[in-house]
Amino acid sequence: MRFWLLFLVVVFSFNGNSQEIKKKYLGIYSGEIPSYALEIGLEVFQVESTPIQLELKPAGIFIERLNSIEKTGTYKVLREDKTGIYLEGQFDGQFIPESFILYKAEKRLERKGIYPQPEVFLKKI
């Protein structure tokens, strides 16, 4: 009896941690990062706006395209509620994870920029 109880606890704990996004939310999201100022020491550089595409794929993989630069990473679902799915993305070789919110009703993805980048809203195409 104890064995079966332990088995059920282990199975359900793995199932809860391996949430996947529904197929209707997967795909390509597109938008534009607005221009912003970057301070390095005493100098201030103006960074121009740039187009961005983010592709959510099954099995927790995503691809980000900034201009002609393409980066691949993995994402995981942190939590999900009625309005949105909260994701955390990690690029290969990057130490700071990125945060995303996928708004279900609008099929819109919010990318929380890593300072000094501003937040950007991406629409599904």
Side-chain angles (χ1 to χ4, degrees):
M1 180 68 175
R2 287 185 204 164
F3 172 75
W4 289 110
L5 182 61
L6 179 64
F7 177 76
L8 288 174
V9 168
V10 169
V11 167
F12 284 116
S13 67
F14 285 125
N15 190 25
N17 291 335
S18 63
Q19 286 182 310
E20 285 196 22
I21 297 176
K22 291 182 182 177
K23 188 176 181 179
K24 66 181 177 179
Y25 301 122
L26 297 176
I28 299 174
Y29 293 82
S30 182
E32 187 171 329
I33 298 174
S35 63
Y36 59 95
L38 176 64
E39 295 180 34
I40 300 177
L42 298 175
E43 296 189 47
V44 178
F45 298 97
Q46 189 65 31
V47 179
E48 298 295 322
S49 62
T50 184
I52 180 174
Q53 276 191 347
L54 195 97
E55 183 176 356
L56 294 176
K57 295 183 155 218
I61 297 172
F62 74 100
I63 300 170
E64 182 179 81
R65 294 176 190 92
L66 286 164
N67 290 333
S68 61
I69 300 169
E70 188 172 288
K71 297 190 290 184
T72 304
T74 58
Y75 68 86
K76 65 180 177 180
V77 176
L78 297 177
R79 65 184 171 99
E80 183 175 352
D81 58 23
K82 290 190 309 188
T83 60
I85 302 170
Y86 298 83
L87 307 169
E88 180 178 84
Q90 185 77 38
F91 288 112
D92 300 335
Q94 180 177 328
F95 297 109
I96 301 171
E98 296 197 17
S99 297
F100 306 98
I101 302 173
L102 178 65
Y103 295 99
K104 295 177 181 180
E106 301 95 21
K107 290 190 180 173
R108 181 175 63 135
L109 185 71
E110 180 181 3
R111 178 183 179 261
K112 305 281 188 175
I114 298 173
Y115 182 80
Q117 283 187 352
E119 296 176 358
V120 63
F121 289 97
L122 309 168
K123 293 289 283 181
K124 186 169 183 187
I125 56 174

